[in-house]
Amino acid sequence: MPNVALAVTDGMLQFELALACEVFGADMTGVAEPWYRFSVCGPSAVRVGRFRLAPDHGLDRLPHADTVIVPGWADVDQDPPAELIEAVRAAHEAGARVASLCTGAFVLAAAGLLDGRRATTHWAHAKELAERHPRVTVDPDVLYVDNGSVLTSAGKAAAMDLCLHLVRLDHGSSVANTLARRLVVPPHRDGGQAQFVTAPVPAPDNHPLAELFPWVIRRLDQPLTVEDLARQAGMSSRNLGRHFRSVTGTTPLQWLLTQRIRHAQELLETTDDTVDSIAAATGMGTATTLRRHFQRTVGVPPDTYRRTFRSRTRPGAYDDGRHHRRKS
């Protein structure tokens, strides 16, 4: 059972903290078993916004975790507490995967974990992060950055994108998608992290496209067009486009392509099907077409993605080559 620890001290942002609790502390009985063994680690009592929080363990427990989550740090003008920095650094040196949400990147940077790496944070604080930590390559235009054993996210909703990305790496796409729907996550936004693409999650069922989405998902192996979708939805192509933009934040064709890529990822993760078979099953037609769209969208070829995903979901796969996972 993966051990996830949330590192907290006074001054953490309550939204990101609560978000991590909701994802990794969720009851997923019947969906993914075993789920995470989740705990909050910090001093005896911490203040988060207007609330007081009593952690389960002290910060000295962080090095025993498989994954450490660092929520947003509220006062970026001040250096994070030394005890937090030291504990996060010790956890990483012990082999833990460390992820920051929003301005939690300032904690990781102070611990030296981002030196020589690409990272992101809330766009409003990206310039300051870059100025204070010149050895970090700060990218303000992405939702999150995955460096293997060190991950960073942009602000607020992007923190959810990163948390679901971690769930997907650990438990697979089906579980991550189930959790996303339980949380009623809004659609994935364009401009996300290029290494992995997350499928847009349909909005609740009270919109004009509610019946169209599952109809399309069941027919991804077919050469669907915008006209096909519009005909099924009983509206003009122009009206369909307006509804798609409102509900998913993107166009019908882009949404359809994302579903095809997403399905291709699932097949690469869970089957030994050839790229040709997956191209047919996802409506891409040929392996060449699949490879072109997959490379452009995901950032790596299908074969490389399959090898990378499977190696990272094995026990100990949080290692980026610099650290070795402890044996229990």
Side-chain angles (χ1 to χ4, degrees):
M1 180 184 298
N3 185 348
V4 175
L6 184 64
V8 300
T9 61
D10 286 337
M12 292 296 186
L13 296 174
Q14 61 192 42
F15 178 86
E16 287 78 4
L17 188 152
L19 184 152
C21 291
E22 187 69 22
V23 171
F24 300 104
D27 181 2
M28 294 293 283
T29 303
V31 178
E33 299 179 42
W35 191 237
Y36 298 100
R37 183 186 300 111
F38 179 73
S39 62
V40 179
C41 299
S44 57
V46 298
R47 179 167 292 280
V48 180
R50 294 180 294 175
F51 305 98
R52 299 290 290 179
L53 177 67
D56 303 305
H57 306 288
L59 289 171
D60 59 345
R61 287 292 295 270
L62 292 186
H64 299 280
D66 298 302
T67 297
V68 172
I69 307 294
V70 182
W73 175 246
D75 192 356
V76 296
D77 294 328
Q78 300 294 324
D79 290 332
E83 61 177 342
L84 175 62
I85 295 172
E86 293 169 4
V88 169
R89 184 187 297 121
H92 185 251
E93 290 175 350
R97 175 177 62 178
V98 181
S100 66
L101 308 180
C102 192
T103 49
F106 282 81
V107 177
L108 271 59
L113 273 57
L114 301 182
D115 288 353
R117 286 187 166 104
R118 178 168 162 262
T120 193
T121 188
H122 192 291
W123 63 267
H125 303 289
K127 182 178 179 181
E128 183 173 359
L129 179 64
E131 291 175 347
R132 289 172 58 181
H133 300 280
R135 297 184 63 184
V136 180
T137 302
V138 180
D139 188 344
D141 299 322
V142 295
L143 296 179
Y144 59 88
V145 176
D146 181 347
N147 287 303
S149 67
V150 179
L151 305 91
T152 54
S153 84
K156 303 305 177 185
M160 175 63 81
D161 290 312
L162 177 54
C163 288
L164 289 175
H165 174 63
L166 293 173
V167 170
R168 183 168 164 273
L169 290 175
D170 297 340
H171 295 281
S173 300
S174 177
V175 172
N177 289 343
T178 298
L179 178 59
R181 285 172 173 80
R182 285 189 177 188
L183 297 173
V184 195
V185 177
H188 185 71
R189 296 159 293 165
D190 291 337
Q193 194 260 342
Q195 187 66 23
F196 296 92
V197 59
T198 305
V201 180
D205 295 338
N206 57 349
H207 60 82
L209 305 181
E211 295 182 3
L212 179 64
F213 286 140
W215 183 86
V216 173
I217 297 300
R218 292 193 299 268
R219 294 167 174 78
L220 289 177
D221 60 330
Q222 302 178 20
L224 299 173
T225 65
V226 174
E227 289 71 23
D228 293 330
L229 270 61
R231 189 179 306 110
Q232 178 64 27
M235 59 183 69
S236 68
S237 298
R238 184 174 182 179
N239 198 25
L240 179 75
R242 286 198 298 268
H243 283 297
F244 253 92
R245 179 65 67 179
S246 174
V247 174
T248 72
T250 189
T251 66
L253 281 180
Q254 185 58 51
W255 182 86
L256 179 58
L257 176 61
T258 300
Q259 305 312 307
R260 296 191 192 283
I261 295 295
R262 185 70 225 104
H263 188 37
Q265 286 180 298
E266 292 176 347
L267 294 174
L268 289 166
E269 294 167 13
T270 60
T271 75
D272 293 318
D273 293 351
T274 66
V275 175
D276 288 284
S277 297
I278 293 174
T282 57
M284 293 288 191
T286 67
T288 300
T289 300
L290 172 60
R291 287 192 174 96
R292 182 175 70 252
H293 286 296
F294 199 95
Q295 172 86 42
R296 184 175 61 189
T297 304
V298 180
V300 294
D303 293 332
T304 301
Y305 177 86
R306 170 176 272 165
R307 289 194 300 270
T308 301
F309 182 88
R310 291 188 173 182
S311 67
R312 296 183 66 180
T313 52
R314 295 197 309 267
Y318 302 155
D319 192 351
D320 65 352
R322 294 174 50 195
H323 304 285
H324 299 283
R325 166 60 44 203
R326 298 176 301 275
K327 293 184 182 295
S328 55

